[in-house]
């Protein structure tokens, strides 16, 4: 029996989220009501908590949280997933009919509306996501591990764009949770990884996660150190996972001639970056902006999680009950947090 109301965290504006009792919606045609098994906190949610996020959260108050896995509690007409199926749902799905979807660039879908509401007991998954971006996960994968599929899909996207080969040298700039996911994907590809970051804790975490070398940006010559990791010429690939103008510049300086740079970290609106245009042209450096994920990368991320190649123990550091979410965000929003599982 599905109860009539549930606890859900609602976002009212920067630094204002509340746990409320709200009606549990009935699934309409094509929709699925998911009983949330686990949600994960995400840096994007903390950013939204601090400063608001128009792309992530639409009208306010908004459901909150976007990484989740659970069990199908009820399905609307036309849905082939049976009640009781354990699934992971992406936080978006392409429309399949717009200019970008027709060209396979579904992450740029003109109707891409990000879905929220993971911090709740139930989540109503809209029909377009049910039809293109919900995946059964079988019985073995824990919900919180399956919920890693969303951020991991973004990491797989970034690495795939660079077409990283075994033994390639890759510098990852940034030592936050996204970098940890990138390290996992790069290790699975057999690449050699150098993490460039700030502060000893993040760099120690990166080494534990399997980075072959770490470089502190506070050291005398981070560019020189990253270039020597790439045999003196620079690294075959550089992934910028910070989203700041100065680290975008570092990325272009650390890559070898003929190498590729993945600009993975999103900068604030209005950011301008000045780059060495001479180097980009004469050293034929390729720059790739990478955003979000596509169903192909989401499915690939689930396969990686199922394969056991991803060490999730370092990625998810604990769990909190749903009731504790508002207090947790209040206490933790100023730090760069590892993920915790939110268990309803
Ligand atoms: Zn996320
Ligand atoms: Zn589209």
């Amino acid at each position: 029996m599905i109860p009539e109301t549930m606890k859900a965290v609602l976002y009212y504006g920067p630094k204002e989220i509340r746990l409320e009792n709200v009606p549990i919606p009935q699934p309409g045609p094509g929709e699925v009501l998911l009983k949330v098994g686990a949600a994960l906190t995400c840096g994007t949610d903390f950013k939204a908590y601090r400063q608001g996020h128009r792309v992530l959260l639409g009208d306010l108050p908004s459901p909150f949280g976007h990484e989740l896995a659970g069990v199908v509690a009820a399905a609307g007409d036309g849905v082939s997933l049976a009640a009781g199926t354990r699934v992971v749902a992406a936080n978006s799905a392409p429309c399949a009919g717009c200019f970008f979807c027709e060209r396979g660039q579904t992450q740029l879908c003109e109707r891409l509306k990000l879905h929220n509401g993971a911090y709740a007991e139930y989540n109503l998954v809209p029909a377009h996501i049910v039809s293109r971006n919900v995946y059964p996960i079988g019985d073995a994968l824990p919900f919180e591990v399956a919920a890693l599929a969303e951020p991991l899909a973004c990491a797989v996207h970034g690495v795939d764009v660079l077409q990283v080969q075994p033994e390639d040298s890759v510098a990852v700039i940034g030592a936050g949770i996204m970098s940890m996911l990138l390290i996992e994907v790069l290790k699975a590809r057999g690449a050699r990884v150098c993490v460039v970051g700030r502060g000893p804790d993040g760099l120690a975490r990166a080494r534990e996660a399997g980075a072959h070398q770490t470089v502190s940006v506070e050291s005398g010559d981070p560019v020189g150190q990253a270039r020597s990791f790439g045999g003196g010429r620079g690294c075959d690939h550089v992934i910028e996972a910070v989203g700041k103008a100065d680290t975008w510049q570092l990325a272009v300086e650390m890559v070898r001639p003929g190498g590729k740079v993945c600009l993975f970290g999103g900068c604030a609106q209005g950011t301008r970056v000045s780059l060495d245009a001479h180097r980009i042209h004469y050293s034929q450096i390729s720059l790739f902006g990478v955003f979000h994920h596509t169903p192909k990368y989401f499915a690939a991320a689930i396969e990686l999680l199922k394969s056991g190649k991803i060490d999730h123990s370092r990625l998810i550091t604990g769990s909190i009950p749903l009731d504790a979410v508002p207090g947790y965000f209040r206490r933790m929003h100023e730090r760069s947090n590892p993920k915790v599982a939110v268990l309803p």
Side-chain angles (χ1 to χ4, degrees), residues 93-102 105-106 108-112:
C95 75
C98 74
F99 175 91
F100 297 100
C101 285
E102 280 171 1
Q105 296 173 313
T106 59
L108 303 177
C109 174
E110 288 167 352
R111 299 183 192 94
L112 197 76

Side-chain angles (χ1 to χ4, degrees), residues 296-342:
K296 175 179 125 182
Y297 295 126
F298 208 91
I302 295 166
E303 286 314 307
L304 257 182
L305 290 166
K306 283 184 178 167
S307 75
K309 283 186 189 155
I310 303 297
D311 182 356
H312 45 79
S313 64
R314 245 182 293 275
L315 301 169
I316 306 168
T317 52
S319 66
I320 57 171
L322 182 59
D323 304 26
V325 168
Y328 187 78
F329 272 76
R330 209 176 304 122
R331 284 196 312 281
M332 304 295 276
H333 70 271
E334 271 161 4
R335 305 181 218 169
S336 163
N337 301 301
K339 285 183 181 297
V340 298
V342 176

Side-chain angles (χ1 to χ4, degrees), residues 171-247:
V172 175
I173 304 178
I177 184 74
M178 225 39 242
S179 304
M180 299 303 140
L181 287 157
L182 287 162
I183 293 171
E184 294 293 337
V185 178
L186 289 164
K187 275 196 309 187
R189 298 244 172 155
R192 296 186 308 115
V193 185
C194 168
V195 172
V196 182
R198 195 179 291 281
D201 295 353
L203 294 180
R205 259 201 317 268
R207 272 193 302 278
E208 282 166 29
H212 299 78
Q213 191 181 323
T214 55
V215 170
S216 167
V217 281
E218 280 134 352
S219 71
D221 182 18
V223 171
Q225 288 185 63
R227 284 191 183 179
S228 50
F229 180 76
R233 294 184 187 87
C235 292
D236 297 316
H237 315 273
V238 180
I239 305 179
E240 198 279 357
V242 177
K244 297 239 163 80
D246 54 345
T247 38

Side-chain angles (χ1 to χ4, degrees), residues 40-45 66-67 91 150-151 154 178 339:
L40 293 175
T41 61
C42 169
T44 307
D45 293 339
H66 63 273
E67 297 175 8
N91 62 334
E150 196 275 327
C154 299
M178 225 39 242
K339 285 183 181 297

